[in-house]
Amino acid sequence: MDILLIFVRTIFFYFFIFIVYRIMGKREVGQLGIIDLIVSILIAELVVISIEDYDNNIFMSVVPILTLLFLQVTLAFLSLRKPKFRIFLDGNPSIMIQDGRVNYKEMTRQKYNLDDLLVQLREKGYRSIEEVEYAILENSGSLSVFPYPKDRKKTPLPLPIILDSQIQEDTLKIMHKDKNWVYQMLEKKNIQIEDVFYAFYKDNNIFIIKDSELI
């Protein structure tokens, strides 16, 4: 009887967790943010406890799982509506290599050592740092690598200036610019910042996506 009860609970939680994760949204394990990872770990622990401790009512685990689901969906919604809140939860990507030079200051800030950098470069097929023009540590922990072109001519990295109508101050620091510069660029194009979905800087020019159109 105990074995049958464990079997039934396992089947129930299999489909229940399947529905929960479909509601949470599609993401690969390597792309989980901090909140998603915490929720996933807690849900896994609650399910294991409920399956093993079959003397307790099954809803003793269902309620906290639904609570975690509600928390995760709420935080995800706030992250979409409030860019600063999203940055607080997930952080910003970090430039580890810029113009072929290692950004040791940023590596120290991210607790990221040179061995970590070299390992990830080798995993992506690069034998040395000299082959790389840009390397960006994403929020997921993966490293995006941009090698030098064959002619070794420098190529500017598109830098995000505005996301969801919010000026990216970290990007401006890298560019040695300020908010006034952004507003001046927008004024030249006769665009209000509230209308900007995404804007990036490349080749001494700012490119703006407004209402799904590139300006």
Side-chain angles (χ1 to χ4, degrees):
M1 184 64 183
D2 292 344
I3 295 178
L4 179 60
L5 187 57
I6 293 174
F7 175 78
V8 172
R9 280 178 173 250
T10 302
I11 296 298
F12 169 79
F13 276 111
Y14 175 83
F15 288 103
F16 178 65
I17 298 305
F18 172 78
I19 294 172
V20 168
Y21 274 86
R22 287 298 299 268
I23 295 173
M24 286 174 59
K26 297 180 180 178
R27 282 198 181 187
E28 297 178 8
V29 174
Q31 296 176 333
L32 292 179
I34 295 176
I35 299 299
D36 299 316
L37 183 60
I38 292 173
V39 170
S40 298
I41 293 173
L42 290 176
I43 288 177
E45 289 294 328
L46 288 168
V47 170
V48 170
I49 291 172
S50 181
I51 292 175
E52 292 180 346
D53 190 9
Y54 48 80
D55 292 331
N56 289 329
N57 192 304
I58 197 170
F59 289 102
M60 296 296 291
S61 293
V62 171
V63 172
I65 289 175
L66 290 178
T67 302
L68 290 171
L69 172 61
F70 173 77
L71 177 64
Q72 194 276 341
V73 172
T74 301
L75 292 176
F77 176 77
L78 290 175
S79 295
L80 289 174
R81 304 293 296 181
K82 304 291 184 181
K84 289 185 178 180
F85 185 71
R86 180 176 66 243
I87 293 172
F88 171 75
L89 291 179
D90 297 332
N92 277 325
S94 301
I95 300 178
M96 296 301 181
I97 298 177
Q98 185 173 8
D99 296 327
R101 290 177 290 186
V102 177
N103 187 347
Y104 289 103
K105 183 178 180 180
E106 185 63 23
M107 287 179 63
T108 301
R109 193 170 72 90
Q110 297 296 331
K111 311 298 188 295
Y112 195 84
N113 59 49
L114 189 58
D115 286 337
D116 295 329
L117 180 62
L118 293 174
V119 167
Q120 291 214 39
L121 288 178
R122 288 196 296 268
E123 288 177 347
K124 294 183 179 296
Y126 299 98
R127 291 174 291 183
S128 67
I129 294 176
E130 286 74 18
E131 300 177 49
V132 179
E133 186 175 10
Y134 295 99
I136 301 174
L137 184 64
E138 307 292 354
N139 295 333
S140 62
S142 63
L143 192 71
S144 298
V145 182
F146 302 88
Y148 276 105
K150 292 182 179 179
D151 57 6
R152 299 291 291 185
K153 183 179 179 180
K154 287 188 176 182
T155 56
L157 180 68
L159 296 172
I161 303 296
I162 302 173
L163 292 175
D164 296 330
S165 302
Q166 299 292 322
I167 295 176
Q168 304 302 296
E169 296 185 28
D170 289 342
T171 300
L172 295 182
K173 289 179 182 179
I174 295 174
M175 298 170 56
H176 304 292
K177 304 287 186 181
D178 57 20
K179 289 185 178 181
N180 290 332
W181 174 82
V182 177
Y183 287 118
Q184 290 173 4
M185 296 292 283
L186 293 176
E187 187 177 353
K188 290 180 181 179
K189 295 178 179 291
N190 196 26
I191 298 174
Q192 298 296 320
I193 190 170
E194 294 80 10
D195 300 325
V196 179
F197 175 69
Y198 176 67
F200 63 93
Y201 185 76
K202 182 179 179 182
D203 295 331
N204 298 320
N205 197 6
I206 185 170
F207 298 87
I208 300 171
I209 296 178
K210 174 186 175 185
D211 296 330
S212 301
E213 294 183 358
L214 182 63
I215 300 174

